Amino acid sequence: MKQKRKTAIVTGASSGIGRSTALLMAEKGIAVTLCSRNMEELEKTAGLIKDSGGEALAAAADLSDDSEAAGVFDTHLNAFGSLHILVNAAGIIGNGTVRDTPAAEWDTMMNINLRSVFLMMQHAIPHLEKTRGSIVNVSSVTGTRAFPGIAAYCVSKAGVDQLTRCAALELAEKGIRVNSVNPGVVRTNLHRNGGMNRESYQAFLEHSRSTHPLGRVGEPEEVAQSILFLATEVSSWITGATLAVDGGRAQTCAR
């Protein structure tokens, strides 16, 4: 799957699934623009890629802001000249029920998890038309199944899934494929950043061994492999898919 001078924009690339995806794509010869709000971590990841002989640049931005999202594409095209792949992996999680989630927290979740995906896709389309490229959105098992206590997160990911399907139909005639991956619990900093302390997070990971039929949580590198599959020609007849990468979690009842 070694790629020759293909290019990608990967959001959420400062950590977790986004970072693992960027590293894997660079390993396969894809030139990568790394995006998130954390420039320090982006530069660390870009440095790892360059030290290994790959091509990467860091572009810090608030991707829920239209002008900043557009700026990422300007930066990428100025450096690499074309775009073949967009991976939307940026996201946050937070607790809250339908009854008690403050409207401001709801808006923040939708802006980061859904609006940014929409904006990045809009800006990518004219460039992906030229290369007959692909988009992979990182959703969640919560996009297809309901879970209590994280209402805004569930709704934002369900929105990502429906956006994926709508875009897949609309862009098929342009030769652009659009798919999503829907991970279960993956060992990243997502939940810690969402407010879990170290002890609670370790207990959550231990509990998750029983809620995932394969008996363990996932690793970001495993999701990255699925993203690479959907992003490249080996999946050339797949579009509009929501691929469960979840150890069987979506097949179970709530517990």
Side-chain angles (χ1 to χ4, degrees), residues 39-92:
M39 190 61 167
E40 181 179 355
E41 291 301 320
L42 290 178
E43 289 180 334
K44 288 180 183 178
T45 304
L48 289 174
I49 291 172
K50 292 174 183 177
D51 289 345
S52 299
E55 294 181 274
L57 62 86
D62 175 0
L63 300 177
S64 65
D65 181 284
D66 192 24
S67 63
E68 292 196 32
V72 169
F73 289 87
D74 291 339
T75 299
H76 176 87
L77 293 167
N78 286 338
F80 301 127
S82 62
L83 177 67
H84 300 84
I85 298 165
L86 170 65
V87 178
N88 287 305
I92 61 170

Side-chain angles (χ1 to χ4, degrees), residues 68-152:
E68 292 196 32
V72 169
F73 289 87
D74 291 339
T75 299
H76 176 87
L77 293 167
N78 286 338
F80 301 127
S82 62
L83 177 67
H84 300 84
I85 298 165
L86 170 65
V87 178
N88 287 305
I92 61 170
I93 194 171
N95 295 324
T97 67
V98 173
R99 182 174 184 173
D100 65 19
T101 299
E105 292 184 12
W106 175 277
D107 290 344
T108 297
M109 188 75 66
M110 297 304 155
N111 283 340
I112 294 175
N113 288 4
L114 184 55
R115 175 183 167 87
S116 69
V117 175
F118 169 70
L119 292 176
M120 292 296 286
M121 289 172 67
Q122 274 197 329
H123 289 295
I125 289 168
H127 310 295
L128 295 176
E129 282 186 43
K130 297 174 184 177
T131 59
R132 298 180 72 83
S134 64
I135 299 171
V136 183
N137 298 322
V138 177
S139 181
S140 167
V141 64
T142 64
T144 58
R145 297 295 297 269
F147 293 84
I150 49 172

